[in-house]
Amino acid sequence: MTDSLPIRRIDHVRFVVGNARQSAYFYRNCFGFDVVGYAGLETKERNEAGYVLRQGEITFVLASPLRAEHAYNARLAAHGDGVMDIAFEVDDVASAYETTTSRGAVGVQEPVVARTDEGEFETAVIRTYGDTTHTFLNRDRYTGVFAPGYLPLDPGRYNPTTARPVGLRFIDHIVGNVEEGKMDEWVEFYERVMGFRQLVHFDDKDISTEYTALMSKVVQGGDGRIKFPLNEPAEGRRRSQIAEYIDFYGGPGVQHIALATDDIVATVGALRHNDCSFLRVPKAYYELLPERVGAIDEDTERIAELGILVDRDDEGYMLQVFTKPVEDRPTLFFEIIQRKGSKSFGKGNFKALFEAIEREQARRGTL
Ligand code: FE2
């Protein structure tokens, strides 16, 4: 079933933001991304600006409209800054588009081959939840920077010595928030249309504690390299954080992107040095930690100092930490994750995490 639509990997995540130049500064100086490509007035792009950021295998594109007529303006008014597109690199763009649309996906852009001096660059786009899309792309016969229209950034624009990578390596998973009652529909979309499979060991019944205000299922594709948990709001004692997201984002969308590191202590230390804001868990969390997860390789005092969460399952353990939302709207945030055997998403941390998120919600007056 998966073979009918071979997806190589997540090529990049495209964000639409109000001011791409300033967002690029944030992702560069806070998260340590390198700016490897640029499109804008200086590259003869008249309608929008785009910055390509890279760290390890992670590529983000930040785009902003340059004119009032641009379609991004309506999107920004509705959603604020956020993820517009998760792009997949595929062997055959036309066949990926044909396969998914024939299985019911809504087409946004039919396959287009851009022919430039640097070769051929092929894309097609389908819809997923909310106003989010998936691009299928192939650049096997393309030698230029990122995509047609992009050039290396003018070296005079940034001081190359200020931003340093913080050890982020690849995208571990991307979480979507969908409306109440729609989770199974989107799980089915990824299974039936995209050829993904549901990851069954993430048992949604396990996370129904009194603090839990969400239901979550995980689908995976691309031979397990692509993992998309999907959340929907559920009845909780208090107002669900998923409902808060949907309210402020104006519909379903990407809730968080988990970025993997091989050394979470070093990565989070560097991010904190760069003034990145993380959710804090109660001190009591660390008193209960040895009993809950047993022995770990990391220094628990340092883990507590950095607010890193730990969870264990029968395959091993994982360490994770969540940033606060990176916009004024309580919408998109990031997770930093290091896996040591565990393939789960930290459901044992949900309770501690919900308490931390609820404290933030209370501060925003949205509980
Ligand atoms: Fe996550």
Side-chain angles (χ1 to χ4, degrees):
M1 188 165 130
T2 10
D3 293 339
S4 61
L5 180 59
I7 295 174
R8 293 181 189 167
R9 62 189 187 96
I10 294 175
D11 185 86
H12 67 271
V13 179
R14 182 180 185 84
F15 302 71
V16 173
V17 298
N19 187 335
R21 179 182 290 229
Q22 288 190 8
S23 290
Y25 182 89
F26 171 79
Y27 283 101
R28 184 171 181 274
N29 290 286
C30 185
F31 284 92
F33 281 84
D34 195 12
V35 183
V36 299
Y38 168 74
L41 295 174
E42 296 87 340
T43 72
K44 300 193 172 61
E45 168 54 60
R46 308 310 294 175
N47 295 309
E48 62 188 73
Y51 291 76
V52 183
L53 297 113
R54 186 160 297 143
Q55 186 169 178
E57 294 168 28
I58 309 160
T59 304
F60 290 163
V61 178
L62 308 169
S64 285
L66 293 176
R67 293 171 189 281
E69 311 79 66
H70 200 295
Y72 285 171
N73 291 297
R75 178 184 190 92
L76 285 167
H79 303 309
D81 290 6
V83 171
M84 173 188 183
D85 185 85
I86 302 165
F88 300 123
E89 187 186 48
V90 296
D91 294 342
D92 187 336
V93 170
S95 130
Y97 184 82
E98 186 54 47
T99 305
T100 48
T101 50
S102 72
R103 292 174 185 164
V106 177
V108 175
Q109 180 214 295
E110 291 194 3
V112 172
V113 185
R115 292 189 172 83
T116 73
D117 293 345
E118 284 150 326
E120 294 182 358
F121 187 88
E122 191 171 14
T123 56
V125 185
I126 61 165
R127 277 190 79 135
T128 177
Y129 47 80
D131 284 337
T132 318
T133 55
H134 285 309
T135 293
F136 299 115
L137 71 82
N138 181 285
R139 61 163 75 79
D140 289 351
R141 292 170 304 282
Y142 185 73
T143 57
V145 173
F146 184 66
Y150 284 86
L151 289 173
L153 189 72
D154 170 6
R157 181 77 78 83
Y158 286 128
N159 176 353
T161 61
T162 54
R164 292 194 179 86
V166 299
L168 299 173
R169 288 197 46 227
F170 58 89
I171 294 174
D172 185 272
H173 59 274
I174 300 180
V175 180
N177 281 343
V178 301
E179 302 104 320
E180 194 175 343
K182 297 284 185 184
M183 179 182 63
D184 286 329
E185 233 171 78
W186 287 106
V187 167
E188 205 239 311
F189 168 85
Y190 279 101
E191 287 179 323
R192 188 178 49 80
V193 174
M194 304 290 294
F196 283 34
R197 286 157 208 264
Q198 197 183 322
L199 218 66
V200 284
H201 74 77
F202 189 78
D203 184 359
D204 49 271
K205 287 179 206 76
D206 284 357
I207 58 167
S208 301
T209 69
E210 63 167 323
Y211 293 97
T212 300
L214 68 82
M215 294 281 288
S216 190
K217 286 182 180 174
V218 184
V219 290
Q220 70 170 25
D223 286 328
R225 286 185 301 271
I226 302 162
K227 293 188 277 291
F228 290 163
L230 295 159
N231 296 333
E232 70 176 20
E235 275 308 306
R237 286 194 315 155
R238 295 168 179 172
R239 188 181 176 201
S240 151
Q241 48 154 311
I242 313 303
E244 183 196 41
Y245 173 99
I246 289 170
D247 181 16
F248 278 91
Y249 193 70
V254 170
Q255 179 210 37
H256 75 263
I257 302 175
L259 305 172
T261 170
D262 290 335
D263 184 350
I264 198 166
V265 171
T267 297
V268 174
L271 287 168
R272 292 183 76 88
H273 173 82
N274 293 347
D275 213 9
C276 183
S277 302
F278 292 97
L279 284 177
R280 300 307 303 239
V281 288
K283 276 212 164 59
Y285 175 90
Y286 293 98
E287 290 158 17
L288 302 171
L289 192 65
E291 187 186 320
R292 195 165 64 77
V293 301
I296 57 169
D297 304 336
E298 292 73 17
D299 172 15
T300 15
E301 247 171 64
R302 186 70 181 135
I303 292 285
E305 217 172 86
L306 294 169
I308 294 168
L309 310 172
V310 192
D311 201 13
R312 185 182 284 280
D313 59 26
D314 38 8
E315 293 175 295
Y317 69 98
M318 55 92 93
L319 306 107
Q320 62 185 166
V321 64
F322 297 87
T323 72
K324 292 184 181 176
V326 294
E327 314 74 19
D328 289 304
R329 300 191 194 198
T331 52
L332 177 77
F333 57 90
F334 289 90
E335 171 181 349
I336 311 300
I337 185 169
Q338 182 178 6
R339 296 188 181 278
K340 293 201 154 177
S342 167
K343 295 191 192 77
S344 84
F345 298 83
K347 77 187 166 198
N349 285 321
F350 276 32
K351 185 176 176 227
L353 200 62
F354 279 144
E355 289 171 329
I357 291 173
E358 283 164 8
R359 267 203 310 280
E360 293 291 315
Q361 279 186 273
R363 289 183 55 214
R364 294 192 285 261
T366 61
L367 251 188

